[in-house]
Amino acid sequence: MTHVHRRHLLSGALGLSLIGAGRVGAQSRGATPKLILLIARGAMDGISLTVPWGDPNHVALRGDLAVPQPGEPEGALDLIEGFGLHPSMPATHALFRAGQMRFAPAVAIPARIRSHFDAQDVLESGAETVRGQTDGWLNRALAAVGGKGLTGLSVGAQTPLVLRGAAPVSSWAPGREVDGDDRVARQLMDLYADDPLLGVNLARGLETNAMAEGGRIRRNDVAALGQAVARLMSGPQGADVVAVSVDGWDTHARQGPQMTQRLAGLDGLISGLQEGLGEDWARTAMILATEFGRTARANGTRGTDHGTASSLLLMGGAIRPGGLIGDWPTLAENRLYEGRDLAPTLDVRSVFKGVLRDHLGVDRGALDARVFPGTAGEAPPVDGLV
């Protein structure tokens, strides 16, 4: 006979899974660091995100896709050293002005591949090669700091590879609305009334689902969705490490209007997370990363194809002010990777290492041997990112 633990009931009843969360249920926790990983799936064009308007080859390579320089109509929002942020991201630009955003303009996974599926595997596993690890680097980081009692949360219908592994994590996806008179919901609330973690998180999950499905979050209201995710991170029992997937970045055709729309949505999500976290924002670091970039040249359908290097953003109240992370290879013809792509100057794992070391307190030995095995030669690019 199969025995089902009571905590497994939540997944089917509410679209809210808290399997394994009881590991820290009885612990008393003080203020803990918060880490959000945003994965832009589909290969985000970093040249449109952090616009290298000061590079003399930018306009020639991009043509109509080139975002104008700051001060021009629909121009980039000025950053530093000849870079600007896409004009659809004013809230993120405000973070930069407040010293709460930095960027790496030319990062890449260690494997030179242009398959979405394979590249996402490498990005999330933290391995050198495709299927080099069966679990994710963010889950291994949680295991490495297990004594600190940090909790992980996946937002979406499925837990992504980056959070899969031995360390237990929770998951949440907006599901059907649970009516206030729902018998199952009331029974679950009674069942968990004395659980110090799940009693709180179940109530918060029910409220979040109701907010997501009951009309307060309208279709495509990404700011409200960000606030809903923040609800599950807030307070002493909230999740500490969260992974969120943001789809739709495979812009082979008509890239200009697509990037405008998608980056505006991303900006709203970031703004919603910041607003929803409130005081917790001050101890939050957020990473935006993608599996690979796109070609430096526009193609014949006013889009771009699968490339190599892209941009990475670091945001949050815990991020220290500073300049570029890594070097800019330029868009000169003789500097393009294989004559077509932005060339990487930084292994994306080195940036991940810096955040995990400075923000979550994972020591360098664990990073080199356990979280990103075999990467002792890849040091964090900057001391004191957070």
Side-chain angles (χ1 to χ4, degrees), residues 31-227:
T32 55
K34 304 288 185 181
L35 174 62
I36 303 170
L37 174 65
L38 301 177
I39 302 176
R41 298 188 184 278
M44 176 186 284
D45 179 33
I47 295 175
S48 292
L49 175 64
T50 54
V51 183
W53 60 266
D55 190 302
N57 296 287
H58 174 231
V59 174
L61 284 171
R62 285 277 154 144
D64 290 344
L65 294 185
V67 177
Q69 67 183 28
E72 295 185 358
E74 299 182 2
L77 305 171
D78 198 23
L79 295 172
I80 51 174
E81 300 183 35
F83 286 89
L85 194 65
H86 192 280
S88 294
M89 303 191 75
T92 306
H93 188 246
L95 294 180
F96 173 78
R97 294 200 310 269
Q100 297 180 2
M101 191 275 273
R102 298 184 66 175
F103 64 100
V107 301
I109 58 174
R112 298 293 171 257
I113 49 181
R114 300 188 180 101
S115 156
H116 293 299
F117 182 82
D118 290 345
Q120 288 173 17
D121 178 276
V122 175
L123 175 71
E124 296 183 60
S125 72
E128 290 278 343
T129 60
V130 180
R131 289 175 286 281
Q133 295 281 147
T134 58
D135 54 2
W137 63 263
L138 198 50
N139 188 281
R140 296 194 297 271
L142 281 171
V145 296
K148 298 181 181 180
L150 299 182
T151 58
L153 173 69
S154 165
V155 176
Q158 294 182 331
T159 300
L161 173 60
V162 72
L163 267 178
R164 294 181 207 159
V169 299
S170 307
S171 64
W172 174 77
R176 67 175 182 86
E177 182 182 359
V178 179
D179 188 274
D181 296 325
D182 190 291
R183 182 176 61 85
V184 174
R186 284 188 284 107
Q187 287 179 339
L188 285 170
M189 289 298 293
D190 291 341
L191 185 64
Y192 285 90
D194 297 326
D195 190 303
L197 175 64
L198 296 188
V200 174
N201 275 346
L202 174 58
R204 186 182 290 130
L206 289 169
E207 292 169 3
T208 303
N209 263 11
M211 182 170 67
E213 299 298 327
R216 279 185 282 170
I217 294 182
R218 299 181 303 277
R219 181 177 176 82
N220 296 328
D221 190 344
V222 287
L225 177 61
Q227 292 173 23

Side-chain angles (χ1 to χ4, degrees), residues 318-335:
I319 299 299
R320 293 185 182 180
L324 266 65
I325 302 171
D327 297 323
W328 175 243
T330 81
L331 294 172
E333 181 74 27
N334 64 353
R335 298 299 305 274

